[in-house]
Amino acid sequence: MTTNLDGNDEATITRLATTPCTVAVVGLSPKSHRASYEVAQYLQRHGWRIVPVNPAAAGTQILGEPVYASLTEAASAHSIALVDVFRNSDDVPPVVDEALALGLPAIWLQLGIAHPQAAAKARAAGVALVQNLCLKVEHAQRA
C-alpha cells in the first residue's frame, strides 16, 4: 500500500477515480466557469451520475440534475457511492460527519481541500477518503 503526504492510498485513488458511480457533489456551483461545475460536467460526460448539493441553489437544476440543500436530502433520494467535496477545508468536518451518519462509503476532497482530523475520523470509521487531489485529473490520468 503506497500513501502520499495527505494519507491518500494509491489503490483507493485508482478505485474511486476509475469507477463511475453516483456522486454527490457538495458545493457544486451553477456557474460554468467554476472548478466544481467543470469537474462535475466532466464526470457526467464519462458516465457518472451527478447529484448536486448546494443549499443556495436548492430547488433548481445544475447540469440537468435537481439540486439538494444537504447531503442528507440527496441521500434520501439517491444511492450515493461517493461524496465529492468542493468546500473550504474548515467546512469539511460537518460534511464528513454527515457522510458518516448516512453510512456513505467514500469521500473525495478536491485539490486544495484537506482536513487531517476529519480524514482520520473517516478512515477510522472504514470510509475511503482521498484529500487534496482533483477527481477529474485523477480520472483522466488513470482511466
Side-chain angles (χ1 to χ4, degrees):
M1 172 169 73
T2 305
T3 58
N4 67 19
L5 293 176
D6 289 309
N8 298 326
D9 170 66
E10 284 297 319
T12 300
I13 295 167
T14 298
R15 178 175 57 82
L16 295 179
T18 59
T19 307
C21 63
T22 299
V23 56
V25 184
V26 177
L28 179 55
S29 174
K31 298 174 184 173
S32 62
H33 67 278
R34 301 292 298 264
S36 62
Y37 188 97
E38 292 174 13
V39 169
Q41 186 177 51
Y42 171 90
L43 293 174
Q44 197 177 50
R45 288 180 178 161
H46 286 85
W48 300 57
R49 173 73 191 272
I50 300 303
V51 180
V53 178
N54 180 335
T60 66
Q61 288 194 351
I62 300 175
L63 293 167
E65 297 289 345
V67 181
Y68 296 91
S70 69
L71 191 52
T72 299
E73 186 180 314
S76 72
H78 302 277
S79 179
I80 296 170
L82 177 63
V83 179
D84 189 13
V85 181
F86 285 90
R87 299 289 312 270
N88 291 323
S89 294
D90 291 342
D91 297 329
V92 166
V95 175
V96 167
D97 288 344
E98 192 174 9
L100 292 177
L102 293 166
L104 301 180
I107 302 168
W108 190 291
L109 306 180
Q110 282 294 140
L111 186 63
I113 305 169
H115 197 286
Q117 296 84 0
K121 183 177 183 177
R123 290 175 178 141
V127 172
L129 185 134
V130 172
Q131 61 182 344
N132 195 26
L133 289 175
C134 178
L135 183 54
K136 175 184 171 184
V137 170
E138 296 303 320
H139 177 270
Q141 289 177 349
R142 298 164 192 263

